[in-house]
Amino acid sequence: MLRSPIGKNCNSLRTACKLCMDEEGLRDTMASTKNSFSSSESSIISRIKSNDQKKPTKSSPVLQSSKAARPEAQDPGSLNLNPRTVLSWLIDNNVVMERAKVQYRGSEVHSSSLKKGRIGHDGIKCDCCITVFALGGFEVHSGSKEKRPSANIILEDGRSLLECQRQVLRDIKARSSDRKVKNGEGYSLHGGDDQSDDICSVCYHGGDIILCDKCPSSFHHSCLGLTEVPEGEWACPSCRCGNCGQSKFEDTEYSTDDDMVRICDQCEHKFHMECMKKSTGVVKLKDYSKNKWFCSDKCENVYTSLNELLGRSFPLGVDNLTWTLLKSMVEEEEHQDPNDVSIENEVFVQNQSKLNVALELMRECFEPVREVLTGKDLVQDVIFNCISNLNRLNFRGFYTVLLEKNEEIISVAIIRVYEKVAELPLVATRLQYRRHGMCSLFLNEIKKKLIELGVERLILPAVPALVETWTTKFGFSKMTDNERLQFLDYTFLDFPDTTMCHKLLAKTLQLNLALAFIEAII
């Protein structure tokens, strides 16, 4: 009687050999599973953080989720190589089935020239010419100039692709609400929660920190350039008047008295009305409960110019590449009627759908970043402009920039623009498009637009592996401690173990002006 390696009885040598081979494969599988579990377990443990009870000052090193790109050397079979488009997003969310039949029903299109096709991740394959088109291309192919492809491309069951997008957005909102109910929120994002932050708002590390008496922010005294801990009531740079530097503000939000505070909707700095009158001679008084307020014409111009760009695609002039600026409209969602078929509602749905596709691309390129204080997806909060009474978690000013090719999103950049400085904390390019110059094209276009807005400096946090790339290839330099101290009244999005880098744009602007002058006199 023969026995296999794990002790099973066999009637023949052939059977024993077969069992032996099967058992070796089983052991390999079990070993692989064990290794995989150990790796996952280690990853989970590395993200665990225990919060101590808050005290006025404390020493509590805090482990934060870091900004980590996914490695490039991955098994191609494990990657999602499908195009990152709204259509592919609908398929991935099981709202539209692959190879589903569709037809274009625009009001300008006669029934005799009606185009039909089948849906795929790459686009819509037309029945008449077997060509694959993006949504906008299929609309043009159908002879329409309406520029409303999602509203006019109809499935066999009568739903438009726009209705399908609404359904996915409703499902995402419902899942998000369920998570909030089950898990609760670890931190109040909107209210007047007195809980102070665990980490420094400058370096994002814990330790002996000073607590601001006006907001939940905390700081190392060394990160503020202070030689010792201040005594008595203390306010952080963000909680002081942008003119006089004082932190005494009245609480009445919409009073027009001179000692009341106003917050600029662009640079987010606070100002006394009396200080504004002294420095500018005049203050534009508006209905503060409804309209925006700006501390200067420069801030108002930056805000207006950015909003004029929203949702519009601009060609780069090569390979059908375009760039688009988006900003979350989630605050308007509460006022959206589910049955509203207006153009405004359509713009809202298209905007939020593209931002969700951008989020999926970010998740593809970066390891998950969980904010330990709230437990939420940090990248998602940034893209969808979640607001907070904690400065470092207040993301209302961020915009999302997309680089697209035939409606496929190739790169995504997250940017926040102040008056003279802008930050670029996250840039992601899909693996199959890297090392093709896409990032250079993308960043050059962003820099040109920032220069037009009068922005003088671009700042970003670089992970250790990419510091040399940013400094040698893209012209950035490492910020010194003294340079960092110049921007304490701005709260930049930073990550532990990154190096803050910056690039002066004013020199580029001066060069462009000089070239323009030379061309004018030649």
Side-chain angles (χ1 to χ4, degrees), residues 473-510:
K473 184 175 180 180
F474 294 105
F476 283 79
S477 59
K478 298 178 183 179
M479 290 186 76
T480 65
D481 291 339
N482 288 335
E483 288 170 334
R484 187 76 182 266
L485 290 175
Q486 298 175 27
F487 299 97
L488 287 178
D489 51 342
Y490 297 101
T491 304
F492 298 124
L493 179 58
D494 200 355
F495 304 87
D497 304 320
T498 58
T499 299
M500 195 62 79
C501 299
H502 66 143
K503 181 182 179 70
L504 296 177
L505 304 180
K507 293 181 180 179
T508 308
L509 176 60
Q510 293 169 0

Short mmCIF file of all heavy atoms in Angstrom, two decimals, residues 473-510:
data_model
loop_
_atom_site.label_atom_id
_atom_site.label_comp_id
_atom_site.label_asym_id
_atom_site.label_seq_id
_atom_site.Cartn_x
_atom_site.Cartn_y
_atom_site.Cartn_z
N LYS A 473 13.60 67.53 -12.85
CA LYS A 473 12.84 67.50 -14.10
C LYS A 473 11.82 68.63 -14.21
O LYS A 473 11.59 69.17 -15.29
CB LYS A 473 12.13 66.15 -14.24
CG LYS A 473 11.38 65.98 -15.56
CD LYS A 473 10.80 64.58 -15.68
CE LYS A 473 10.06 64.44 -17.01
NZ LYS A 473 9.46 63.08 -17.16
N PHE A 474 11.21 68.98 -13.07
CA PHE A 474 10.12 69.97 -13.12
C PHE A 474 10.49 71.32 -12.53
O PHE A 474 9.64 72.21 -12.45
CB PHE A 474 8.88 69.40 -12.41
CG PHE A 474 8.29 68.21 -13.10
CD1 PHE A 474 8.47 66.93 -12.59
CD2 PHE A 474 7.57 68.36 -14.27
CE1 PHE A 474 7.92 65.83 -13.22
CE2 PHE A 474 7.02 67.26 -14.91
CZ PHE A 474 7.20 65.99 -14.39
N GLY A 475 11.73 71.48 -12.11
CA GLY A 475 12.20 72.80 -11.70
C GLY A 475 11.77 73.26 -10.33
O GLY A 475 11.85 74.46 -10.02
N PHE A 476 11.34 72.36 -9.47
CA PHE A 476 11.00 72.72 -8.10
C PHE A 476 12.25 72.71 -7.24
O PHE A 476 13.28 72.16 -7.62
CB PHE A 476 9.98 71.73 -7.52
CG PHE A 476 8.57 71.94 -8.01
CD1 PHE A 476 8.18 71.48 -9.27
CD2 PHE A 476 7.63 72.58 -7.22
CE1 PHE A 476 6.89 71.68 -9.72
CE2 PHE A 476 6.33 72.77 -7.67
CZ PHE A 476 5.95 72.32 -8.92
N SER A 477 12.17 73.32 -6.08
CA SER A 477 13.26 73.27 -5.10
C SER A 477 12.66 73.02 -3.72
O SER A 477 11.48 73.32 -3.47
CB SER A 477 14.06 74.58 -5.11
OG SER A 477 13.23 75.68 -4.80
N LYS A 478 13.48 72.48 -2.82
CA LYS A 478 13.01 72.20 -1.47
C LYS A 478 12.81 73.51 -0.71
O LYS A 478 13.66 74.40 -0.77
CB LYS A 478 14.01 71.32 -0.72
CG LYS A 478 14.23 69.95 -1.35
CD LYS A 478 15.27 69.16 -0.57
CE LYS A 478 15.57 67.83 -1.22
NZ LYS A 478 16.60 67.07 -0.47
N MET A 479 11.70 73.61 0.01
CA MET A 479 11.44 74.79 0.82
C MET A 479 12.27 74.74 2.09
O MET A 479 12.35 73.70 2.76
CB MET A 479 9.96 74.90 1.18
CG MET A 479 9.05 75.23 0.02
SD MET A 479 7.33 75.53 0.55
CE MET A 479 7.48 77.17 1.26
N THR A 480 12.90 75.85 2.42
CA THR A 480 13.62 75.95 3.68
C THR A 480 12.63 76.26 4.81
O THR A 480 11.48 76.63 4.56
CB THR A 480 14.68 77.05 3.61
OG1 THR A 480 14.02 78.32 3.45
CG2 THR A 480 15.63 76.82 2.44
N ASP A 481 13.10 76.12 6.05
CA ASP A 481 12.24 76.43 7.18
C ASP A 481 11.80 77.90 7.15
O ASP A 481 10.64 78.22 7.44
CB ASP A 481 12.97 76.14 8.50
CG ASP A 481 13.19 74.64 8.70
OD1 ASP A 481 12.46 73.85 8.07
OD2 ASP A 481 14.08 74.28 9.49
N ASN A 482 12.70 78.79 6.79
CA ASN A 482 12.36 80.21 6.73
C ASN A 482 11.32 80.49 5.64
O ASN A 482 10.42 81.32 5.83
CB ASN A 482 13.62 81.06 6.48
CG ASN A 482 14.52 81.11 7.70
OD1 ASN A 482 14.06 80.96 8.83
ND2 ASN A 482 15.81 81.34 7.48
N GLU A 483 11.46 79.81 4.50
CA GLU A 483 10.46 79.98 3.43
C GLU A 483 9.10 79.45 3.85
O GLU A 483 8.06 80.03 3.53
CB GLU A 483 10.95 79.28 2.17
CG GLU A 483 12.11 79.98 1.49
CD GLU A 483 12.74 79.16 0.39
OE1 GLU A 483 12.65 77.90 0.45
OE2 GLU A 483 13.35 79.75 -0.52
N ARG A 484 9.12 78.36 4.59
CA ARG A 484 7.86 77.79 5.07
C ARG A 484 7.16 78.73 6.06
O ARG A 484 5.93 78.84 6.06
CB ARG A 484 8.14 76.43 5.73
CG ARG A 484 6.90 75.63 6.12
CD ARG A 484 6.26 75.01 4.91
NE ARG A 484 5.04 74.28 5.27
CZ ARG A 484 5.00 72.97 5.55
NH1 ARG A 484 6.11 72.25 5.49
NH2 ARG A 484 3.87 72.39 5.83
N LEU A 485 7.94 79.43 6.87
CA LEU A 485 7.38 80.34 7.86
C LEU A 485 6.64 81.52 7.21
O LEU A 485 5.76 82.13 7.83
CB LEU A 485 8.48 80.88 8.77
CG LEU A 485 9.10 79.88 9.76
CD1 LEU A 485 10.26 80.52 10.51
CD2 LEU A 485 8.05 79.37 10.74
N GLN A 486 6.97 81.83 5.96
CA GLN A 486 6.30 82.93 5.27
C GLN A 486 4.84 82.62 4.95
O GLN A 486 4.06 83.52 4.65
CB GLN A 486 7.04 83.26 3.96
CG GLN A 486 8.46 83.72 4.13
CD GLN A 486 9.15 83.89 2.79
OE1 GLN A 486 8.52 84.15 1.77
NE2 GLN A 486 10.47 83.75 2.79
N PHE A 487 4.46 81.34 5.03
CA PHE A 487 3.11 80.94 4.62
C PHE A 487 2.33 80.29 5.76
O PHE A 487 1.46 79.45 5.52
CB PHE A 487 3.20 79.98 3.43
CG PHE A 487 3.86 80.58 2.22
CD1 PHE A 487 5.20 80.35 1.96
CD2 PHE A 487 3.14 81.39 1.35
CE1 PHE A 487 5.82 80.91 0.86
CE2 PHE A 487 3.74 81.95 0.24
CZ PHE A 487 5.08 81.72 0.00
N LEU A 488 2.63 80.69 6.99
CA LEU A 488 1.95 80.08 8.12
C LEU A 488 0.46 80.41 8.16
O LEU A 488 -0.32 79.69 8.77
CB LEU A 488 2.61 80.53 9.43
CG LEU A 488 3.98 79.92 9.73
CD1 LEU A 488 4.53 80.50 11.02
CD2 LEU A 488 3.89 78.40 9.83
N ASP A 489 0.06 81.52 7.52
CA ASP A 489 -1.36 81.87 7.53
C ASP A 489 -2.14 81.09 6.47
O ASP A 489 -3.35 81.28 6.32
CB ASP A 489 -1.55 83.37 7.32
CG ASP A 489 -0.79 83.90 6.12
OD1 ASP A 489 0.13 83.21 5.64
OD2 ASP A 489 -1.11 85.02 5.66
N TYR A 490 -1.44 80.22 5.73
CA TYR A 490 -2.10 79.28 4.80
C TYR A 490 -1.93 77.87 5.36
O TYR A 490 -0.85 77.51 5.82
CB TYR A 490 -1.47 79.34 3.41
CG TYR A 490 -1.62 80.67 2.70
CD1 TYR A 490 -0.55 81.56 2.67
CD2 TYR A 490 -2.80 81.02 2.07
CE1 TYR A 490 -0.66 82.78 2.02
CE2 TYR A 490 -2.92 82.24 1.42
CZ TYR A 490 -1.85 83.12 1.40
OH TYR A 490 -1.97 84.32 0.76
N THR A 491 -2.99 77.09 5.29
CA THR A 491 -2.90 75.70 5.73
C THR A 491 -2.82 74.81 4.50
O THR A 491 -3.82 74.56 3.83
CB THR A 491 -4.13 75.31 6.58
OG1 THR A 491 -4.24 76.21 7.68
CG2 THR A 491 -3.99 73.89 7.11
N PHE A 492 -1.63 74.37 4.17
CA PHE A 492 -1.44 73.51 3.00
C PHE A 492 -1.70 72.06 3.36
O PHE A 492 -1.42 71.62 4.49
CB PHE A 492 -0.01 73.65 2.46
CG PHE A 492 0.33 75.04 1.99
CD1 PHE A 492 1.43 75.71 2.51
CD2 PHE A 492 -0.45 75.69 1.05
CE1 PHE A 492 1.75 76.99 2.10
CE2 PHE A 492 -0.14 76.97 0.62
CZ PHE A 492 0.97 77.63 1.15
N LEU A 493 -2.22 71.30 2.41
CA LEU A 493 -2.41 69.87 2.61
C LEU A 493 -1.05 69.18 2.53
O LEU A 493 -0.38 69.23 1.50
CB LEU A 493 -3.36 69.30 1.55
CG LEU A 493 -3.65 67.79 1.62
CD1 LEU A 493 -4.25 67.43 2.97
CD2 LEU A 493 -4.59 67.37 0.50
N ASP A 494 -0.66 68.56 3.62
CA ASP A 494 0.66 67.94 3.71
C ASP A 494 0.49 66.50 4.19
O ASP A 494 -0.58 66.10 4.64
CB ASP A 494 1.55 68.73 4.67
CG ASP A 494 3.03 68.45 4.46
OD1 ASP A 494 3.35 67.57 3.63
OD2 ASP A 494 3.85 69.10 5.13
N PHE A 495 1.56 65.73 4.09
CA PHE A 495 1.56 64.34 4.53
C PHE A 495 2.86 64.07 5.28
O PHE A 495 3.91 64.65 4.95
CB PHE A 495 1.46 63.38 3.34
CG PHE A 495 0.27 63.62 2.46
CD1 PHE A 495 0.32 64.53 1.42
CD2 PHE A 495 -0.91 62.92 2.68
CE1 PHE A 495 -0.78 64.75 0.61
CE2 PHE A 495 -2.02 63.14 1.87
CZ PHE A 495 -1.95 64.06 0.84
N PRO A 496 2.83 63.19 6.30
CA PRO A 496 4.06 62.87 7.00
C PRO A 496 5.12 62.30 6.06
O PRO A 496 4.79 61.61 5.09
CB PRO A 496 3.62 61.81 8.03
CG PRO A 496 2.17 62.07 8.23
CD PRO A 496 1.66 62.52 6.90
N ASP A 497 6.37 62.62 6.35
CA ASP A 497 7.52 62.08 5.62
C ASP A 497 7.62 62.57 4.18
O ASP A 497 8.33 61.99 3.36
CB ASP A 497 7.51 60.54 5.64
CG ASP A 497 7.46 59.99 7.05
OD1 ASP A 497 8.15 60.55 7.92
OD2 ASP A 497 6.72 59.02 7.28
N THR A 498 6.89 63.64 3.84
CA THR A 498 7.06 64.25 2.53
C THR A 498 7.92 65.49 2.67
O THR A 498 8.09 66.03 3.76
CB THR A 498 5.71 64.64 1.90
OG1 THR A 498 5.01 65.54 2.77
CG2 THR A 498 4.86 63.41 1.64
N THR A 499 8.46 65.95 1.55
CA THR A 499 9.27 67.16 1.52
C THR A 499 8.50 68.24 0.79
O THR A 499 8.10 68.04 -0.37
CB THR A 499 10.61 66.91 0.80
OG1 THR A 499 11.34 65.89 1.50
CG2 THR A 499 11.44 68.18 0.74
N MET A 500 8.27 69.38 1.44
CA MET A 500 7.53 70.45 0.80
C MET A 500 8.45 71.15 -0.21
O MET A 500 9.54 71.62 0.14
CB MET A 500 7.03 71.45 1.84
CG MET A 500 5.97 72.38 1.30
SD MET A 500 4.46 71.54 0.74
CE MET A 500 3.63 71.25 2.29
N CYS A 501 8.01 71.17 -1.46
CA CYS A 501 8.79 71.79 -2.54
C CYS A 501 7.99 72.96 -3.13
O CYS A 501 6.77 73.01 -3.02
CB CYS A 501 9.10 70.77 -3.63
SG CYS A 501 10.09 69.37 -3.09
N HIS A 502 8.70 73.87 -3.76
CA HIS A 502 8.01 75.01 -4.37
C HIS A 502 8.71 75.42 -5.65
O HIS A 502 9.88 75.10 -5.89
CB HIS A 502 7.94 76.18 -3.39
CG HIS A 502 9.26 76.79 -3.04
ND1 HIS A 502 9.45 78.13 -2.85
CD2 HIS A 502 10.49 76.24 -2.85
CE1 HIS A 502 10.71 78.38 -2.55
NE2 HIS A 502 11.35 77.25 -2.54
N LYS A 503 7.95 76.14 -6.46
CA LYS A 503 8.46 76.63 -7.75
C LYS A 503 7.98 78.06 -7.93
O LYS A 503 6.78 78.34 -7.83
CB LYS A 503 7.95 75.76 -8.90
CG LYS A 503 8.44 76.15 -10.28
CD LYS A 503 7.83 75.24 -11.33
CE LYS A 503 8.27 75.62 -12.74
NZ LYS A 503 9.70 75.32 -12.95
N LEU A 504 8.91 78.97 -8.18
CA LEU A 504 8.56 80.36 -8.40
C LEU A 504 8.04 80.54 -9.83
O LEU A 504 8.71 80.16 -10.79
CB LEU A 504 9.77 81.26 -8.15
CG LEU A 504 10.31 81.28 -6.71
CD1 LEU A 504 11.54 82.16 -6.62
CD2 LEU A 504 9.24 81.76 -5.75
N LEU A 505 6.86 81.10 -9.94
CA LEU A 505 6.25 81.30 -11.26
C LEU A 505 6.46 82.72 -11.76
O LEU A 505 6.29 82.97 -12.95
CB LEU A 505 4.74 81.01 -11.19
CG LEU A 505 4.35 79.62 -10.68
CD1 LEU A 505 2.84 79.48 -10.68
CD2 LEU A 505 4.98 78.52 -11.52
N ALA A 506 6.81 83.64 -10.87
CA ALA A 506 6.97 85.04 -11.26
C ALA A 506 8.07 85.18 -12.30
O ALA A 506 7.97 85.98 -13.23
CB ALA A 506 7.28 85.91 -10.04
N LYS A 507 9.15 84.38 -12.16
CA LYS A 507 10.25 84.44 -13.13
C LYS A 507 9.74 84.05 -14.51
O LYS A 507 10.12 84.65 -15.51
CB LYS A 507 11.39 83.53 -12.70
CG LYS A 507 12.11 83.98 -11.43
CD LYS A 507 13.24 83.03 -11.09
CE LYS A 507 13.97 83.48 -9.83
NZ LYS A 507 15.07 82.56 -9.46
N THR A 508 8.90 83.02 -14.54
CA THR A 508 8.33 82.60 -15.81
C THR A 508 7.47 83.71 -16.40
O THR A 508 7.48 83.95 -17.60
CB THR A 508 7.48 81.33 -15.60
OG1 THR A 508 8.26 80.35 -14.92
CG2 THR A 508 7.02 80.75 -16.93
N LEU A 509 6.71 84.38 -15.54
CA LEU A 509 5.86 85.48 -16.00
C LEU A 509 6.70 86.61 -16.57
O LEU A 509 6.39 87.15 -17.64
CB LEU A 509 5.00 85.98 -14.83
CG LEU A 509 4.10 87.19 -15.11
CD1 LEU A 509 3.11 86.86 -16.22
CD2 LEU A 509 3.38 87.63 -13.85
N GLN A 510 7.79 86.97 -15.87
CA GLN A 510 8.66 88.03 -16.36
C GLN A 510 9.29 87.67 -17.70
O GLN A 510 9.41 88.50 -18.59
CB GLN A 510 9.75 88.31 -15.32
CG GLN A 510 9.22 88.90 -14.03
CD GLN A 510 10.26 88.93 -12.93
OE1 GLN A 510 11.40 88.50 -13.14
NE2 GLN A 510 9.88 89.42 -11.76
#
